[in-house]
Amino acid sequence: MEEQLFSLLHRRRSRQSPALRILSDKPLRHPALVGYLSSREIDPTIASTHCWEVRYAVGGRNYFAVGFRNDASGWELRSERFKGCVSPKHITTINNRSDIVIAFEGFMDFLPYFSMEKRLQTDVAVLNSVVNLPKAIPFLGQHATIQAFFDNDDAGRKATAELKRLCPNSTVIDRSHLYREHKDLNEYWQAKQSRPHIAPKRKRGMKM
């Protein structure tokens, strides 16, 4: 009886949520995706270093999105109208052989950081969901210093506390205070970019 019920629930779920199938991936150029990234104050040129233009199919219809690949060859997908993933769900790491690693919940927080820094000299771990934190511990725990840029919410705070517990030999620095007035790093970056730029006053006598 239980097996029959499980089979029925599985079939219903399959009908309600058709499988997402990747069709292709190529360099990120589509104007709609470039516009989506720009609306979030992310430089598409910077994004194209780590993201792709991914075509996928759901329920017989084709779509496209910004794709961010994880270490298990799955994808995180984002567009103006869609947020999802293609299994297997996993973390994404960048190994620059540094003693410092910077950890993010998702790639839409990683990209603003990359926009600010321009160059990546540290290692990076993108969880692609806080539930993936245990999968990241083997990589994170190899580093002397871990800088956590997690969300300013209960899930982010719990993830930071768990990170400290699971990596006792590393110095874990909570960087969320840098954007404490905002939910996450991307929201902070958007607010910062939208502020009107005020040119500094020229001092008298300054040479041209």
Side-chain angles (χ1 to χ4, degrees):
M1 182 66 180
E2 290 183 357
E3 291 182 356
Q4 292 177 346
L5 179 60
F6 176 81
S7 178
L8 177 61
L9 290 173
H10 178 73
R11 288 198 301 271
R12 286 179 177 175
R13 188 177 297 115
S14 298
R15 287 197 296 268
Q16 293 171 357
S17 303
L20 190 155
R21 183 168 55 92
I22 295 295
L23 301 175
S24 66
D25 60 83
K26 61 181 182 180
L28 184 59
R29 294 195 182 98
H30 196 284
L33 300 181
V34 170
Y36 166 67
L37 292 170
S38 297
S39 73
R40 301 191 66 164
E41 300 296 343
I42 294 172
D43 185 341
T45 303
I46 290 176
S48 65
T49 306
H50 295 282
C51 299
W52 297 84
E53 181 179 314
V54 175
R55 304 272 171 166
Y56 63 96
V58 180
R61 300 186 65 179
N62 296 344
Y63 304 91
F64 55 88
V66 177
F68 183 71
R69 195 190 297 270
N70 65 40
D71 289 359
S73 296
W75 290 94
E76 297 296 313
L77 301 176
R78 299 289 184 275
S79 69
E80 186 175 1
R81 300 180 179 179
F82 180 76
K83 177 179 180 180
C85 64
V86 178
S87 61
K89 187 79 172 177
H90 211 278
I91 65 170
T92 303
T93 58
I94 300 173
N95 190 348
N96 290 320
R97 301 187 182 280
S98 172
D99 291 332
I100 300 172
V101 61
I102 302 177
F104 303 92
E105 286 192 30
F107 78 95
M108 295 304 287
D109 292 315
F110 162 60
L111 292 178
Y113 179 86
F114 193 16
S115 297
M116 288 183 246
E117 294 297 315
K118 305 300 182 183
R119 293 180 58 194
L120 287 176
Q121 297 178 314
T122 64
D123 291 354
V124 173
V126 181
L127 302 183
N128 296 317
S129 176
V130 290
V131 300
N132 285 334
L133 179 61
K135 298 177 182 178
I137 295 304
F139 179 75
L140 294 172
Q142 299 173 11
H143 298 81
T145 303
I146 305 170
Q147 298 187 29
F149 286 80
F150 295 160
D151 289 2
N152 277 316
D153 57 14
D154 288 341
R157 287 185 283 272
K158 289 178 181 177
T160 301
E162 189 70 357
L163 180 58
K164 292 178 179 179
R165 185 183 71 83
L166 295 173
C167 296
N169 297 323
S170 303
T171 300
V172 178
I173 303 173
D174 181 3
R175 294 297 193 189
S176 63
H177 67 91
L178 297 174
Y179 45 96
R180 56 180 167 268
E181 301 299 325
H182 302 274
K183 178 183 179 294
D184 55 35
L185 188 59
N186 182 238
E187 187 177 284
Y188 161 80
W189 178 244
Q190 290 183 69
K192 183 178 179 181
Q193 295 301 102
S194 64
R195 292 173 191 161
H197 176 70
I198 300 176
K201 293 182 179 180
R202 288 174 50 188
K203 297 179 180 179
R204 292 183 178 180
M206 182 178 292
K207 294 181 179 179
M208 297 297 291

